[in-house]
Every structure is written in C-alpha cells, then in structure tokens.
Amino acid sequence: MFAQKNKFMEAQNISVGLDIGTTKIVAMIGRKNEYDKLEILGIGKSKSLGVHRGVVNNITQTIQSIQQAVEEAESISGEKIKSVVVGIAGQHIRSLHHSDYITRTNPEKVIDESDIELLINQVYKLVMLPGEEIIHVLPQEYKVDGQSEIKTPIGMYGGRLEANFHVVVGQVSSIRNIGRCIKSSGLDLSDITLEPVASANAVLSQEEKEAGVAMIDIGGGTTDLAIFKDGIIRHTAVIPFGGNVITEDIKDGCSIIEKQAELLKMKFGSAWPGENKDNEIVSIPGLRGRDPKEITLKNLSKIINARVVEIIEQVFVEIKNYGHEDPRKKLIAGIVLTGGGSQLKHIKQLVEYITGMDTRIGYPNEHLAGDSNEEITSPVYATAVGLLMHAIQKDRKNRPEIQPMTDPSVGQEQLSSSTEGDDLPAEAIDATASPESNQETAAPKPEKKERKSTFDSWIERFITFLNDAE
C-alpha cells in the first residue's frame, strides 16, 4: 500500500510543457529529482503544420500535430498527459513601458503583498488596442513617497506606491486559437507564458541576469529577444523572421525544393561567407531524371549571411532602443544565442562582429539531471525545457493545498515524535478544529496565488468562452 501511495505521489509530481513552434511542436514530461534538477520522463516531437510565424493559421492541422507530439511523449514516459503549460510568441506580440501608482489608505501600515497586487491589477485594467490583451505585467522598479530605485518595497512605510512596468501585449484571437487547439486535443490549459521568458529561464544563469544580458532565441518562424538587468526582465521583443526565412532564401536562390534547402542549411550552411572557398561544391540529386545540381558553398553561405545579418541587425536595433548605447550606462554585458537557429555554423562570430558584444550559445543543460539524453541538451529544446520549469513551479504552488489531506495520520504521529513536521500537523489540526480557523489559515493563499495568476483568471474566462461556444 505504501508503494502504491508513492507511485501516486510520483504521478502527482509530473508536469508538462508544450512548445507550439512554427517548425515543430514539442511535448515534454518531467519532474524535479532529489537534487532539484529536471528529470525528463518523456519527450514527443511532431512537425508543426498549422502554425506560421508563431501564430496558428490552421486549427485542424495544429490539433493533429499536438496530439501526435503528446501521444509520443505519453508512449515514452508511460504517463497520461492531462494539463499543459503553453508558450506564446508570434508576430502579434508587442511590449510597452508604463508607470502607475496607488495611494495607500493607511500610510502607517507597512507595504505588503496586497499593495503590490493592487498596483499590478490596476495595470491589467489598462485599455489596449481593439483585439489586444495584456499577457504579462513585469515590475521594473518601485518608488515609495518619491524614494526611487527600490527593488522590493515590502516592509516599508509610505503613502504613495508607484512602479515602472514592462507590459507584454498580444492578440486575443491568437491566444484563443491556441486555447481552442489545446482543448480540442483533449488537454487542459494550465497556464500560458511568454516564450522568450521561458527560454531565458532555461539558458541564463542568475549571474548573467544580474550583470545584464540579451537572450536571442532564433526559432523557425520568429526570433525572440529578452533583456535582463539586475535580475529583472527589462525588455522583450519578437522579430517576425527566423530559420524558415533562411531556408526560403536558399530554396529561391538555388532553385531547389524546400527539403533540400533545409538539409543544405543544416549540413553545409555557414553564416560567415569567408570560411568557404570557391571550389567547394555540393551536388544535389536532380528531380525526375534531371541532372544533379551543383551549388558552391560560398554562394550558399552568402545567401545565409544576408538574411542572418538582417535578423541580427533588427534585434540589435531593439537592444539599442532599450538604451544600450547610452554613454552613462553600459547596460548589457553580453548576448546568449539559443533556439534551432543558434546551431548555424559561425553565427556566434557574426553576432559578435555586428554587435561588438561577447556572445555564447545557450544550452538548457544547467537545469537538467546528469543522465539526461544528449539530444535534450540542444538549444532546440530550450523553450520546451523553460516551459516545463514553469509548469513544475506552478504545480508546486498549487500542490501544498492537497498534500496535507492525503495522509493526516502521518502528521499526527510526527506531532508527538518530531518537531520537523510541525507545519504539517498544524494544518491538519486546523482543518479538523473548526471552519473558522480553517478559513484563517487558508485566507492568505488566494491572495498570494492571485498575484501570479491574474492572467490565469483571464485564461479561465476564455476557456469558459470556448466551452460555451460548443
């Protein structure tokens, strides 16, 4: 019976991240091990057929791709997937900066979570353009009664609490389409998060976030940017170009089919034309009896270089708009490249040449258990790993409400024999003592949860909308 309970608890600890990309859809099942590292139990991958530049444009094909990826992950892990955390990106994402404030009714009382919650919820009520919805409200820095540059105002006295926010906005229709695909695939939508934020959590160290770093995630349909400084996300942007555009350029420039263009890019492509000599030639089989086609690697790298330079220059404009070139403050110490496009040969050197900043390739292996499959440590899976980390974090917050009720007798035994379990029996005793005392212990939890899930409540509303529409 104890073994069965352990098995049940392990099943409860399973979390799932679902990366709906332009070229691929990845379902990743995992949990944290005893060393607080990610243990990947199963991963499923399918070709993404209904997504263009991060936006769903064919519901039926997207549902089929999601189901295929989910079934593969379930088959490998032996676990049944019920709910998922999904990433959102795409060309419809934009960001803005906003300042707001609240006047506290009692300045003699210290600032607490509820004050910050009130301020953030106020930002969520901002009027957006028609069809847009706020996805994330990310506090930058606070000000209390005119005193600025405060990271955490909790515990301080003050009458006026104000803050600068980075606000991420997306199209309601695009978010609803993702929700419709998830629901039609037989899954519950646990949460939606911004893909650049997920990728950054997977590949950046806390030291880099403190020092100042720009993460560039080059995906199939879009290139995502996230800038961190002092441990806080300061700026996000989505460039509507990615690896697929490079493949299209090769296809058109060399007059070959898309499949051949993708293989050429991956096997022989380089972002630096000077690396190839004129006599380096690759031969491609001709179609339907035609003669083989010969392509020089120098010409191939010139095609790739032109498009990669355009993508990196657009990203660099976003970095400069943030204020990187302000002589009073050198904001960003370096660049981290991730995503499938970061595997292109010599792209690191090209980025350093264009931006003049130290660059490295970001791998998600820091958070993975030591025995993880080598394929999973690739930058290709950075977003999926980040989404799984977000799913585990969210599930952990929700889990304590259920766990004490599963075995209250254990808590009673611990109460008399050990002081280590004091927290558990206290909750178990409160749960049986009286409804009033139970309300007192449970009251703070919704407040804490609501601050993180203001957008979650909106997700619930549009999931209800989907249900009503059936």
Side-chain angles (χ1 to χ4, degrees), residues 56-102:
V56 174
N57 63 1
N58 188 312
I59 296 284
T60 305
Q61 287 184 329
T62 304
I63 291 168
Q64 289 171 352
S65 297
I66 290 171
Q67 288 173 335
Q68 187 181 334
V70 166
E71 284 168 12
E72 186 181 337
E74 288 178 336
S75 174
I76 293 170
S77 67
E79 301 287 346
K80 182 70 178 171
I81 295 177
K82 294 179 180 177
S83 67
V84 295
V85 166
V86 181
I88 187 166
Q91 56 190 2
H92 64 96
I93 299 291
R94 70 182 183 93
S95 61
L96 57 99
H97 292 278
H98 174 72
S99 297
D100 217 324
Y101 73 93
I102 58 167

Side-chain angles (χ1 to χ4, degrees), residues 404-423:
M405 296 176 66
T406 57
D407 199 0
S409 60
V410 174
Q412 294 290 347
E413 289 171 14
Q414 286 178 341
L415 181 63
S416 58
S417 62
S418 171
T419 56
E420 290 179 6
D422 282 349
D423 291 342

Side-chain angles (χ1 to χ4, degrees), residues 10 13-15 29-41 366-369 385 388-393 396 399:
E10 282 182 7
N13 291 332
I14 302 302
S15 300
I29 306 175
R31 64 181 171 217
K32 284 286 181 82
N33 64 14
E34 63 269 32
Y35 305 107
D36 209 35
K37 294 289 185 180
L38 277 181
E39 185 183 338
I40 307 301
L41 302 176
E366 182 186 336
H367 303 281
L368 297 173
V385 170
L388 177 57
M389 288 168 63
H390 182 91
I392 290 172
Q393 189 179 22
R396 274 183 171 180
R399 205 165 284 134

